[in-house]
């Protein structure tokens, strides 16, 4: 019986260590190193903190099937990918989010006015510190949006997906520093 207890303790410690190895901490926020999209593995490519006027706003992680540092290839890729955002400040309100996304789409063309309007409806409720946003691209389905694990909706088309991801990694990103962190392989 004692041998079984020792074995069980080592097994439990090993499982804890393995679980920790499966996560990365970015600016104090834990991100899994891998996720599944359409039953396919996507890997944390990079991530970083979005700051504005020295205020920490959110932390974002980019997940890709094939790690890459080439933003244009990432945006054009017709394969599974995801972006996870965690709000780290109460300064991120729904109104500021809408304003930022509208500015982002102006700098990252490809989304139609109808798609942008639909996207805004998915996030019509208040934002608060700790909220988690997931944008998951599934080929043949579209970009699926979640807030705090609740599915909010889908927007079809590679053009919208490219514009959406382009807000962070396009030619005119929300933050050049964040763009470099997101597309840097971890």
């Amino acid at each position: 019986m004692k041998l079984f207890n020792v074995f069980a303790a080592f097994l439990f410690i090993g499982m804890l260590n393995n679980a920790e190895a499966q996560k990365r901490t970015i600016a104090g926020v834990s991100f899994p190193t891998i996720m599944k999209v359409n039953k396919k593995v996507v890997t944390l490519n990079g991530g970083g903190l979005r700051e504005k006027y020295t205020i920490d706003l959110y932390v974002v992680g980019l997940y890709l099937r094939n790690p890459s540092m080439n933003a244009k290839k990432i945006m054009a890729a017709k394969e599974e990918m995801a972006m996870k955002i965690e709000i780290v400040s109460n300064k991120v309100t729904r109104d500021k989010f809408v304003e930022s996304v509208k500015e982002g789409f102006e700098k990252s063309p490809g989304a139609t006015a109808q798609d942008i309007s639909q996207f805004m409806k998915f996030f019509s409720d208040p934002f608060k510190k700790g909220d988690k946003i997931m944008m998951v691209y599934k080929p043949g389905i579209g970009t699926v949006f979640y807030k705090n694990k609740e599915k909010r909706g889908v927007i079809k088309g590679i053009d919208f997906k490219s514009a959406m991801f382009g807000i962070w990694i396009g030619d005119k990103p929300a933050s050049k520093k964040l763009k470099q962190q997101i597309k840097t392989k971890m």
Side-chain angles (χ1 to χ4, degrees), residues 68-164:
S68 177
M69 294 177 68
N70 186 319
K72 290 189 186 309
K73 285 184 180 179
I74 295 169
M75 289 169 51
K78 295 179 181 177
E79 60 187 25
E80 292 78 7
M81 65 181 63
M83 195 170 281
K84 176 185 173 189
I85 297 172
E86 184 165 333
I87 309 296
V88 295
S89 170
N90 286 322
K91 301 267 185 215
V92 179
T93 64
R94 196 256 178 215
D95 291 340
K96 288 182 181 174
F97 174 78
V98 167
E99 180 183 319
S100 294
V101 169
K102 284 182 181 178
E103 287 175 17
F105 279 122
E106 287 172 10
K107 296 176 182 178
S108 181
T112 66
Q114 181 181 354
D115 287 343
I116 295 168
S117 175
Q118 185 64 38
F119 171 77
M120 296 299 179
K121 289 177 186 174
F122 297 156
F123 299 102
S124 60
D125 54 326
F127 279 50
K128 64 184 181 313
K129 184 177 179 179
D131 280 346
K132 294 170 182 64
I133 310 272
M134 285 289 296
M135 298 172 285
V136 181
Y137 178 70
K138 298 179 179 184
I141 296 170
T143 307
V144 185
F145 297 93
Y146 300 86
K147 183 175 177 193
N148 300 324
K149 297 183 181 181
E150 176 191 329
K151 183 177 177 182
R152 297 298 179 100
V154 179
I155 298 178
K156 296 181 180 184
I158 190 76
D159 289 341
F160 179 81
K161 185 276 288 191
S162 294
M164 179 91 253

Side-chain angles (χ1 to χ4, degrees), residues 10-22:
F10 279 120
L11 182 63
F12 179 73
I13 290 169
M15 287 177 12
L16 282 177
N17 287 337
N18 189 35
E20 285 304 309
Q22 298 295 326

Side-chain angles (χ1 to χ4, degrees), residues 34-79:
I34 60 170
M35 294 190 317
K36 287 207 174 179
V37 174
N38 274 353
K39 299 181 183 177
K40 296 186 178 164
V41 173
V42 292
T43 304
L44 182 62
N45 193 73
L49 172 67
R50 172 68 165 115
E51 301 170 282
K52 194 169 186 178
Y53 309 121
T54 70
I55 298 171
D56 296 349
L57 300 175
Y58 58 83
V59 181
V60 61
L62 173 65
Y63 292 83
L64 303 173
R65 288 269 319 275
N66 299 295
S68 177
M69 294 177 68
N70 186 319
K72 290 189 186 309
K73 285 184 180 179
I74 295 169
M75 289 169 51
K78 295 179 181 177
E79 60 187 25

